[in-house]
Amino acid sequence: MSASKSRQEPITDRHLKTETDCGKIFRAQDGIMGENTVPDDSKMIINLLLLGKTQSGKSAAGNTLLGSIDFASHLLPCSVTSSCHLGRSCHISGFARRRGNELTLQVQVLDTPGYPHSNLSKEQVQQAVKTALVQHFGEKGLHLALLVLRADVALCREEDEPTIQLVQELLGHNWKNHTAILFTHADQVDQARIKREEYMDIASVALHKLVQSVQQKYIFVDNCAATLKQENRAALSKIMEFLRQNSYQVIPFK
């Protein structure tokens, strides 16, 4: 169960937009879809993986990306997530086109136990994630891994290196092309009157190096935003931009 060499998904002529509209469509739950299921030739599925430390806001970020509350997210003095869970969004219109025809977008997010974990060893976390990647994404592959960091906590090499190392080991030598940084608790940045576009100007050397290594791919998410749809739309728009820059390549798992 290892990451194979990344390959390019056969999708062409996509034009990104910034609008989502889940009001027109239905919700897919646990892989079971109703009679209005969208045909595969008019649908685009993107597969995302969440990785991060315990209490980084990883599961809450997953809910933002899905536009719904799929993952348990609580403030506790221990790790909340102890196993991998797959969440699926509704079918979203207004994000991509193929040969002039609009595609509906479905987002699949794999939430994982935080690492370091309060109860699980590195080997247990790593094996759980590997198994889930094969089970849920397999040959269809992973489009993007999101390394979740708190925007209101300084990156410390000693504390954060194990998580970064886990990403590298799971994704292999192509990890930089398929990884972006997702900063949670962006509301704390706003409250400190720091503009998000100026955040990296005052970031630590360690964070600068990490962001540069993933080709400046990073986004901010306010997990406490009053308008979940607005945060969802902005985050997905940025993620789709990253995927386009990488020619929609995926890392298959087998």
Side-chain angles (χ1 to χ4, degrees), residues 67-82:
S68 59
I69 309 301
D70 285 50
F71 306 129
S73 177
H74 312 289
L75 177 60
L76 292 175
C78 62
S79 300
V80 176
T81 306
S82 57

Side-chain angles (χ1 to χ4, degrees), residues 14-18 44 46 48 95-96 105 143-144 177 180 215-219 233-249:
R14 290 207 174 101
H15 307 288
L16 305 183
K17 298 181 181 179
T18 58
M44 175 184 181
I46 61 170
L48 307 176
F95 264 96
L105 175 71
H143 288 91
L144 191 67
N177 295 332
Q215 302 151 11
Q216 301 289 331
K217 298 193 298 290
Y218 64 92
I219 58 175
R233 181 164 57 246
L236 288 183
S237 179
K238 199 73 175 173
I239 286 172
M240 291 296 287
E241 185 182 326
F242 297 154
L243 299 188
R244 181 182 60 178
Q245 290 170 357
N246 197 35
S247 301
Y248 300 96
Q249 291 185 93

Side-chain angles (χ1 to χ4, degrees), residues 34-49:
E35 59 184 5
N36 293 325
T37 299
V38 181
D40 288 343
D41 59 353
S42 63
K43 181 173 68 174
M44 175 184 181
I45 298 176
I46 61 170
N47 295 328
L48 307 176
L49 171 68

